[in-house]
Amino acid sequence: MNEFLNFAGRYKILSYVSCLLSALSALAAVLSLWYVWNIASCIIFSEGKEYISDYALNALIYAVVSVSVYIAGLICAHMAAFRISSNICLSPDVLLVPLKYITCIMPDSYFSFFSSVSLIALLFWSDWRLALVSIAPVVLGFVIMVMTTISGIKKKAAMPQKTSGSVICYTVAVNSAFLFLIAVGIGISRLGVSKEFLKNFMLAVFAAPLLSIRLTHTIRLREHQLELNASLKRIKETLNLKSKEENSL
Amino acid sequence: MKQPEKRFVLSEKPAFDFIISSLACAVHNLTLMFPVGLIYSFIMYMLLLCGTGYDIQHHSSVFYLSTGFVCAFLILFSSWLKYSTTHMASYHTAQITGSIISTIFMVIALTFIDWRMSLSASWVLPVSCASTWLSVKVMRSELWRTLFIVSSYLVLRLGIVSVAMTGAFLYAHDSLSANIFIIFLLTASRLYDPLEVSLQNLAAHSNVERIREMK
């Protein structure tokens, strides 16, 4: 990725700005969710009725900030990508790939990564047991995915393809966060339900499905990025080949 | 690299297959909503016990866990159904169509609970669809195309906030009960997931296709 950014020249800074904006956007999105959770915990215990409209307003402000900052980051990434395209003198077909990749996926990838991190941080801040339980389904799904891929490689030496079986297992594992939450909820509430725990439980209910979506997306984009690196290697080889030909002439 | 023979090799009736796979996607998305009801019921049960010092009763914990396993099994079955009926060539289109069907179904169901809250949750859907449509139409400018495709799923993130705003207003005016507000908040936190994921995949997929073409 970084090698690739060298093509951007002094516009490299734009891509860093884009990363920063994506991270800020992710943080704002999590803050917005946090305010929504505040509303939920206010109404469930019917207390702090006077704060609810403030919380709702804050949730709105942070959501709008998140969306607009994200779009600003996307535009920055786009400008950096145009610079890359004019700096590499290759045919437009070859250029279109990295160009589109950078513009679309870079802010997306940083956004999902930073929202995963901040959601995990928020969950650990509220209750570490619920945080572990919220991460567990994705870890489980990922382990299943890796295991099936490895056994797939062992069976046939061909390109490891994701089988629909492992995709199904992954889908079920990732979407079973609610089951883990209920089990842990029952386990912890053995000695009576505390108000504090119920509030944290609600936060996990809001955050866990979102966390699994963001983490899955991060992993998927990472795969795409590895694909890009492979094609970048080919671009470089072609460039080297061309310069050798020019030298020999 | 479009390969028509590869696309239609599985059936002689591609249109029929497409409808079946979209419906399978929709069913899968709807099974993903079952846990929301279970979690709501569990939260309400814990709320009853909260502060009383009573323990969760044995038969209740058995009920919640077994219902949870039934939900997980339904998700397993529906995702098997989804992947066995969906062909790779039309995967993203079927996923988007399925998500639209299931989301509309959910919105109709929510309208029976409270039409004002349902309206506040659903206004983002036509905006998102219009944005997707525009991204297909505006082919000339790369930036505009990307902006439209990205806003199609960004606008969905405003849905839950819209529900929170409307709910807070109605709740303050004693026009909405706390339980229904909670139901809407929990549902809105998951309502847009299928559509968001499929639009995000579409956005990422169009880029990956280009990379694959280079090989």
Coordinates of all heavy atoms in Angstrom, one line a residue, chain B residues 3 11 16 36 43 45 48 57-58 67 80 97 108-110 123 144 180 183 192 200 209 211:
Chain B
Q3 N -18.8 -14.0 -18.9 CA -19.0 -15.3 -19.6 C -20.4 -15.8 -19.6 O -20.8 -16.3 -18.6 CB -18.1 -16.3 -18.9 CG -16.6 -16.1 -19.1 CD -15.7 -16.9 -18.3 OE1 -15.9 -17.0 -17.1 NE2 -14.8 -17.6 -18.9
S11 N -28.9 -23.3 -15.1 CA -30.3 -23.5 -15.3 C -30.7 -23.0 -16.7 O -30.0 -22.1 -17.3 CB -31.1 -22.7 -14.3 OG -32.5 -22.6 -14.6
F16 N -36.2 -17.2 -13.5 CA -36.9 -17.9 -12.4 C -35.9 -18.2 -11.2 O -36.2 -17.9 -10.1 CB -37.4 -19.3 -12.9 CG -38.1 -20.1 -11.9 CD1 -39.3 -19.8 -11.4 CD2 -37.5 -21.2 -11.4 CE1 -40.0 -20.5 -10.5 CE2 -38.1 -22.0 -10.4 CZ -39.3 -21.7 -10.0
V36 N -33.7 -10.4 17.4 CA -34.0 -9.1 18.0 C -35.2 -9.2 18.9 O -35.2 -8.7 20.0 CB -34.3 -8.0 16.9 CG1 -34.7 -6.7 17.4 CG2 -33.1 -7.9 16.0
I43 N -34.4 -8.8 27.6 CA -34.2 -7.6 28.3 C -35.3 -7.2 29.2 O -35.2 -6.8 30.4 CB -33.9 -6.4 27.3 CG1 -32.5 -6.6 26.7 CG2 -33.9 -5.1 28.0 CD1 -32.2 -5.6 25.6
Y45 N -37.5 -9.2 30.6 CA -37.5 -10.2 31.7 C -36.5 -9.8 32.7 O -36.8 -9.8 33.9 CB -37.2 -11.6 31.1 CG -37.1 -12.6 32.2 CD1 -38.2 -13.0 33.0 CD2 -35.9 -13.3 32.5 CE1 -38.2 -13.9 33.9 CE2 -35.8 -14.2 33.5 CZ -37.0 -14.6 34.2 OH -36.9 -15.5 35.2
L48 N -37.7 -6.9 34.8 CA -38.6 -7.3 35.8 C -37.9 -7.7 37.1 O -38.3 -7.4 38.2 CB -39.5 -8.4 35.3 CG -40.7 -8.1 34.5 CD1 -41.4 -9.4 34.2 CD2 -41.6 -7.2 35.3
Q57 N -35.0 -17.5 36.8 CA -35.5 -18.9 37.1 C -35.0 -19.9 36.1 O -34.7 -19.5 35.0 CB -37.1 -18.8 37.1 CG -37.6 -18.2 38.3 CD -39.1 -18.1 38.3 OE1 -39.7 -17.8 37.2 NE2 -39.7 -18.3 39.4
H58 N -34.9 -21.1 36.6 CA -34.3 -22.2 35.8 C -35.1 -22.4 34.5 O -34.5 -22.4 33.4 CB -34.3 -23.5 36.6 CG -33.6 -24.6 35.8 ND1 -32.3 -24.5 35.5 CD2 -34.1 -25.7 35.3 CE1 -32.0 -25.6 34.8 NE2 -33.0 -26.3 34.7
T67 N -34.8 -21.3 22.8 CA -35.3 -20.5 21.7 C -34.1 -19.9 20.9 O -34.2 -19.8 19.7 CB -36.2 -19.3 22.2 OG1 -37.0 -19.9 23.2 CG2 -37.0 -18.8 21.1
W80 N -28.0 -21.7 4.4 CA -27.8 -22.8 3.5 C -28.7 -22.7 2.2 O -28.2 -22.8 1.1 CB -28.1 -24.2 4.2 CG -28.1 -25.3 3.3 CD1 -27.0 -26.0 2.8 CD2 -29.3 -25.9 2.7 NE1 -27.4 -27.0 1.9 CE2 -28.8 -27.0 1.8 CE3 -30.6 -25.7 2.8 CZ2 -29.6 -27.8 1.1 CZ3 -31.5 -26.5 2.0 CH2 -31.0 -27.6 1.2
T97 N -31.6 -7.3 -4.2 CA -33.0 -7.5 -4.4 C -33.6 -8.1 -3.1 O -34.6 -7.7 -2.6 CB -33.3 -8.4 -5.6 OG1 -32.4 -8.0 -6.7 CG2 -34.7 -8.2 -6.0
I108 N -43.3 -2.8 6.7 CA -44.7 -3.0 6.7 C -45.1 -3.6 8.1 O -46.1 -3.1 8.7 CB -45.2 -4.0 5.6 CG1 -45.0 -3.2 4.2 CG2 -46.6 -4.4 5.7 CD1 -45.2 -4.1 3.0
A109 N -44.3 -4.5 8.6 CA -44.6 -5.1 9.9 C -44.5 -4.0 11.0 O -45.4 -4.0 11.9 CB -43.7 -6.3 10.2
L110 N -43.5 -3.2 10.9 CA -43.4 -2.1 11.9 C -44.5 -1.1 11.8 O -44.9 -0.5 12.8 CB -42.0 -1.4 11.7 CG -40.8 -2.2 12.0 CD1 -39.5 -1.4 11.7 CD2 -40.8 -2.5 13.5
W123 N -37.7 6.4 5.8 CA -37.5 7.5 4.8 C -36.1 7.3 4.1 O -35.9 7.8 3.0 CB -37.7 8.9 5.3 CG -36.7 9.3 6.3 CD1 -36.7 9.1 7.7 CD2 -35.4 9.9 6.1 NE1 -35.6 9.6 8.3 CE2 -34.7 10.0 7.3 CE3 -34.7 10.3 4.9 CZ2 -33.5 10.6 7.4 CZ3 -33.4 10.8 5.1 CH2 -32.8 11.0 6.3
W144 N -18.4 11.4 -9.0 CA -19.8 11.4 -8.7 C -20.3 10.0 -8.5 O -21.2 9.8 -7.6 CB -20.6 12.2 -9.8 CG -20.4 13.7 -9.6 CD1 -19.7 14.5 -10.3 CD2 -21.0 14.4 -8.5 NE1 -19.8 15.8 -9.8 CE2 -20.6 15.8 -8.7 CE3 -21.9 14.1 -7.4 CZ2 -21.0 16.8 -7.9 CZ3 -22.3 15.1 -6.6 CH2 -21.8 16.5 -6.8
I180 N -42.5 0.4 23.1 CA -42.5 0.5 21.7 C -41.3 1.2 21.2 O -40.7 0.9 20.2 CB -43.8 1.1 21.2 CG1 -44.9 0.1 21.4 CG2 -43.7 1.5 19.7 CD1 -46.3 0.5 21.0
I183 N -38.5 -1.3 21.3 CA -38.6 -2.2 20.1 C -38.1 -1.5 18.9 O -37.3 -2.1 18.1 CB -40.1 -2.6 19.9 CG1 -40.5 -3.5 21.0 CG2 -40.3 -3.3 18.6 CD1 -42.0 -4.0 21.0
Y192 N -31.2 -2.1 8.8 CA -30.5 -1.7 7.6 C -29.3 -2.5 7.3 O -28.7 -2.4 6.2 CB -30.1 -0.2 7.7 CG -31.2 0.7 8.2 CD1 -31.2 1.1 9.5 CD2 -32.2 1.1 7.3 CE1 -32.2 2.0 10.0 CE2 -33.2 1.9 7.8 CZ -33.2 2.3 9.1 OH -34.2 3.1 9.6
Q200 N -22.5 -2.2 0.2 CA -21.0 -2.1 0.5 C -20.3 -3.2 -0.4 O -19.2 -2.8 -1.0 CB -20.7 -2.4 1.9 CG -20.1 -1.2 2.6 CD -19.9 -1.4 4.1 OE1 -20.2 -2.4 4.6 NE2 -19.5 -0.4 4.7
E209 N -13.5 -6.6 -9.4 CA -13.6 -7.2 -10.7 C -12.6 -6.7 -11.7 O -12.0 -7.4 -12.4 CB -15.0 -6.8 -11.3 CG -16.1 -7.7 -11.0 CD -15.9 -9.1 -11.5 OE1 -16.1 -9.4 -12.6 OE2 -15.4 -10.0 -10.7
I211 N -9.6 -5.7 -10.8 CA -8.3 -6.3 -10.5 C -8.2 -7.7 -11.1 O -7.2 -8.0 -11.6 CB -8.1 -6.3 -8.9 CG1 -8.1 -4.9 -8.4 CG2 -6.9 -7.0 -8.6 CD1 -8.2 -4.8 -6.9

